[in-house]
Amino acid sequence: MAIKIVLFEDNERLRESLAYLLKMNGYNVVGDYSQCSEAANIARVYEPDVVLMDIDMPGENGIKGVRMIKEARPKTSVVMYTVFEDDEKLFECLCAGANGYLLKKTPPARLFDAIQEVLEGGAPMSPVIARKVLNTFQVKETSNKYNLSPREIEVLQWLIKGYSIKIIAAEMNLAFDTVRSHLKNIYQKLHVNCGKEAIAKALSERIV
């Protein structure tokens, strides 16, 4: 079955263009909306695999929209699609449960790649956003209150960048099971259950 996608974007021309591009590339756009006040109900009814969410919309903003979707249907992946590059909105979105963060200047081909990445467990981000996230990890090991090892910190940095276990293993020249073991240790030390929670905690608490 085709991947089901819902769009939340108040710019009508952009929303229609995105819907057209996605449909032409085999995606099933089950809904597109100019505001997200009914995001929870929409998620329950249409059960989308992926939501592309703008931040600045009439009524409730996209950050609140992420929370509503995650509460209504946690398995739906939400990728922010926005013009905002500031740290505050970035971290608010990730802590609200967003699985990825792309800027609107992202080329369409990269957007399609990002959808596939998030479905495979990654956290796709535009390069400038990934750089901001990684910069939060540029601190001394002495501040590492969760006792993450240097290798675990490196794995977490790749996770923040949006890479799947398979790609992290390739980048670090490690076995797939070795990376999975590192991630398991990271989750235990951070007292979280998944990569998304690990990213949110790492960013909100500046733990490394």
Side-chain angles (χ1 to χ4, degrees), residues 76-186:
T76 291
S77 296
V78 182
V79 177
M80 309 309 295
Y81 190 67
T82 179
V83 297
F84 293 109
E85 300 183 27
D86 58 287
D87 293 354
E88 182 177 358
K89 284 189 171 60
L90 166 61
F91 296 143
E92 284 182 1
C93 288
L94 294 178
C95 290
N99 302 90
Y101 198 105
L102 298 178
L103 299 178
K104 287 184 176 177
K105 58 188 177 183
T106 300
R110 172 57 183 141
L111 177 60
F112 302 146
D113 288 342
I115 291 171
Q116 192 59 44
E117 283 179 31
V118 79
L119 289 171
E120 294 175 353
M125 297 182 189
S126 295
V128 66
I129 298 301
R131 198 173 305 119
K132 286 176 178 289
V133 173
L134 287 173
N135 284 342
T136 67
F137 292 91
Q138 307 304 313
V139 295
K140 295 181 180 180
E141 287 183 36
T142 53
S143 66
N144 178 12
K145 66 179 182 180
Y146 286 94
N147 296 315
L148 296 176
S149 71
R151 181 67 84 181
E152 289 166 350
I153 291 173
E154 187 178 359
V155 170
L156 187 54
Q157 287 174 331
W158 284 114
L159 186 68
I160 288 285
K161 197 172 181 180
Y163 285 23
S164 64
I165 296 177
K166 183 178 179 180
I167 298 176
I168 294 173
E171 292 288 344
M172 296 182 65
N173 197 27
L174 296 174
F176 181 92
D177 287 342
T178 300
V179 174
R180 187 163 57 182
S181 178
H182 282 311
L183 285 172
K184 182 179 179 180
N185 291 336
I186 290 169

